C-alpha cells in the first residue's frame, strides 16, 4: 500500500510537472516495490521515472529508467498496463521533441486501448497523436496530414459528451496545433487564439502549469503577429507564477536541461520578444511535499 500510495502521488506530481516531489515519491515507491519483488509494479514505476526524467530534460537518466522498465517487465501485463507503457514511452519521446516517434507510440497506445475497451485512454492517446503530427508538420513547414483533422472531428462529440475537462483541454490543444500548420489568415488567427485561450483556462482548472506556459506563449506569439504587443505582454506576465511553480520544484542541477526543452525555450523567447526580462525565480526545497503518515496527518482538515 505504501508503494502504491507513493506511486499515485508521484504520478500526479509528474503530470503536474512538479518534478522534484514526483521523483522523490517515485523513488520511494520503487524501493518498496523492489523489496516486494513485484516486477509489474517495478516496471510501471520505472517508466514513470523515465517520463519524469524526460520532463527534466535529462535524456541519459530517462534512457536508463526506460531500459530498467523494459528489463523488469514480466511476460504478462494487464491490458491497461501494456497500454500505459506505450503511452508513457510516447511521453518520453514527446519531451525530447522526437515527434515521429511520439506519433508512432501514441498511435500504438490508442490502438491497444481501443482493442481492450479503455475508451477514455484511447481518446487521450489519439489526441496526443494529433498533437504530435501537427508538431512534426509545423517543424517541417508542411500542412498537417488530413488524418489529424479527421481524428479531431471524430472526437469532437465524444469529448464534449465525456464531461472530462482533461480531454477538453487536449482537444483544444490539438485543434490549436493543427491550425498552426495551415496558411495564416485573420479567421485562422482568431480561431487559434480562441483555442489557446481554452487550453489556458482548462490548464488553470486542472493545475497543469507547464500547459499554462505553453498556451500563454503560443497566444502571445499570435498577438505579436497582429501587432498587439501590450496584450502579448499581459499574457506573459500572467504566466510567470506558473513558471515559478515549476522552477521551485525542480531538482538542483537540472536547470539547463529543463530550460532546453522546446516548449520552455519558446516560452523564454516569447518573454523576451514582448519586451520583458526573463528572470529565474527563487528556489525552494524540491523535495518538500505532502507525504501522509500517521504522525503528520491532522485529525481535521486545516480551516485554511
Amino acid at each position: 500500500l505504501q508503494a502504491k500510495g507513493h506511486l499515485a502521488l508521484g504520478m500526479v506530481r509528474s503530470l503536474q510537472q512538479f518534478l522534484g516531489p514526483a521523483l522523490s515519491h517515485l523513488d520511494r515507491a520503487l524501493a518498496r516495490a523492489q523489496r516486494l519483488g513485484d516486477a509489474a509494479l517495478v516496471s510501471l514505476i520505472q517508466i514513470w521515472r523515465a517520463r519524469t526524467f524526460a520532463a527534466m530534460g535529462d535524456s541519459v537518466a530517462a534512457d536508463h529508467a526506460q531500459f530498467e522498465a523494459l528489463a523488469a517487465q514480466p511476460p504478462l501485463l494487464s491490458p491497461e498496463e501494456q497500454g500505459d507503457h506505450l503511452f508513457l514511452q510516447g511521453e518520453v519521446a514527446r519531451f525530447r521533441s522526437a515527434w515521429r516517434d511520439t506519433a508512432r507510440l501514441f498511435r500504438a497506445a490508442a490502438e491497444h486501448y481501443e482493442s481492450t475497451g479503455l475508451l477514455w485512454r484511447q481518446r487521450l492517446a489519439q489526441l496526443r497523436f494529433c498533437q504530435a503530427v501537427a508538431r512534426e508538420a509545423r517543424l517541417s513547414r508542411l500542412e498537417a496530414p488530413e488524418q489529424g483533422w479527421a481524428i479531431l472531428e471524430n472526437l469532437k462529440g465524444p469529448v464534449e459528451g465525456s464531461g472530462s475537462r482533461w480531454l477538453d483541454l487536449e482537444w483544444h490543444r490539438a485543434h490549436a496545433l493543427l491550425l498552426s500548420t495551415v496558411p495564416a489568415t485573420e479567421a485562422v488567427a482568431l480561431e487559434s487564439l480562441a483555442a489557446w485561450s481554452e487550453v489556458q483556462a482548462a490548464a488553470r482548472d486542472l493545475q497543469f502549469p507547464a500547459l499554462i506556459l505553453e498556451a500563454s506563449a503560443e497566444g502571445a506569439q499570435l498577438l505579436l503577429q497582429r501587432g498587439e504587443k501590450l496584450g502579448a505582454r499581459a499574457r506573459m506576465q500572467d504566466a510567470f507564477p506558473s513558471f515559478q511553480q515549476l522552477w521551485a520544484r525542480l531538482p538542483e542541477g537540472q536547470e539547463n536541461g529543463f530550460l532546453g526543452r522546446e516548449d520552455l525555450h519558446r516560452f523564454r523567447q516569447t518573454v523576451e520578444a514582448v519586451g520583458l526580462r526573463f528572470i529565474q525565480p527563487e528556489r525552494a526545497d524540491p523535495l518538500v511535499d505532502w507525504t501522509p503518515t500517521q504522525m503528520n496527518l491532522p485529525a481535521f482538515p486545516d480551516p485554511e
Side-chain angles (χ1 to χ4, degrees):
L1 286 175
Q2 288 179 15
K4 290 182 177 179
H6 281 297
L7 173 57
L9 284 166
M11 289 163 61
V12 171
R13 297 295 181 251
S14 187
L15 290 169
Q16 292 176 307
Q17 295 189 41
F18 294 164
L19 300 173
L23 192 59
S24 175
H25 283 299
L26 292 170
D27 285 348
R28 294 176 195 178
L30 180 63
R32 288 160 174 78
Q34 286 174 333
R35 288 210 304 269
L36 287 168
D38 188 330
L41 188 58
V42 166
S43 183
L44 182 60
I45 293 166
Q46 287 286 26
I47 198 67
W48 272 102
R49 290 178 79 247
R51 192 253 188 211
T52 304
F53 282 125
M56 290 179 194
D58 191 338
S59 296
V60 173
D63 281 341
H64 180 72
Q66 193 162 239
F67 175 79
E68 292 291 329
L70 295 172
Q73 199 173 92
L76 294 176
L77 290 175
S78 72
E80 182 177 334
E81 289 168 340
Q82 290 174 39
D84 288 351
H85 271 270
L86 288 168
F87 186 91
L88 289 165
Q89 288 176 56
E91 287 280 86
V92 172
R94 178 173 73 89
F95 282 117
R96 290 176 168 159
S97 301
W99 299 118
R100 289 184 184 177
D101 286 342
T102 305
R104 174 180 57 80
L105 287 160
F106 282 138
R107 180 169 56 192
E111 289 170 354
H112 181 82
Y113 286 140
E114 184 177 24
S115 70
T116 53
L118 297 166
L119 294 183
W120 190 94
R121 281 173 161 83
Q122 179 225 0
R123 290 163 185 165
L124 179 62
Q126 282 186 307
L127 290 168
R128 290 289 176 84
F129 168 78
C130 290
Q131 294 164 18
V133 297
R135 291 283 192 191
E136 173 69 16
R138 190 161 80 167
L139 191 65
S140 307
R141 299 185 182 278
L142 299 170
E143 192 162 333
E146 191 62 36
Q147 184 184 11
W149 287 105
I151 291 172
L152 192 75
E153 183 61 32
N154 289 338
L155 286 178
K156 184 176 176 60
V159 168
E160 288 177 349
S162 71
S164 170
R165 191 69 165 131
W166 191 353
L167 286 183
D168 186 56
L169 180 157
E170 299 290 352
W171 191 94
H172 286 292
R173 188 180 183 210
H175 187 205
L177 288 168
L178 287 167
L179 285 170
S180 71
T181 70
V182 303
T185 64
E186 180 68 12
V188 168
L190 290 174
E191 196 171 346
S192 298
L193 274 170
W196 283 119
S197 294
E198 291 285 351
V199 173
Q200 190 174 39
R204 289 191 190 282
D205 290 345
L206 295 169
Q207 299 180 46
F208 287 165
L211 290 181
I212 296 172
L213 301 188
E214 180 186 41
S216 299
E218 295 284 354
Q221 288 285 351
L222 288 166
L223 290 171
L224 283 175
Q225 291 166 18
R226 294 163 57 85
E228 299 179 31
K229 191 169 184 177
L230 287 178
R233 182 179 295 182
R235 286 204 179 205
M236 299 312 292
Q237 287 173 324
D238 287 346
F240 182 75
S242 297
F243 178 74
Q244 195 168 26
Q245 279 186 300
L246 296 172
W247 190 256
R249 293 167 174 84
L250 184 67
E252 294 286 349
Q254 298 293 340
E255 296 86 353
N256 290 337
F258 183 67
L259 292 174
R261 275 174 32 184
E262 182 180 320
D263 57 332
L264 290 166
H265 180 66
R266 185 170 175 81
F267 174 77
R268 183 172 186 167
Q269 285 184 319
T270 308
V271 168
E272 293 166 352
V274 301
L276 297 171
R277 190 162 58 92
F278 184 79
I279 299 171
Q280 294 181 1
E282 292 294 322
R283 297 298 301 270
D285 181 352
L287 298 184
V288 171
D289 194 29
W290 179 70
T291 304
T293 71
Q294 289 181 328
M295 297 299 292
N296 64 19
L297 277 177
F300 297 98
D302 188 274
E304 296 179 1

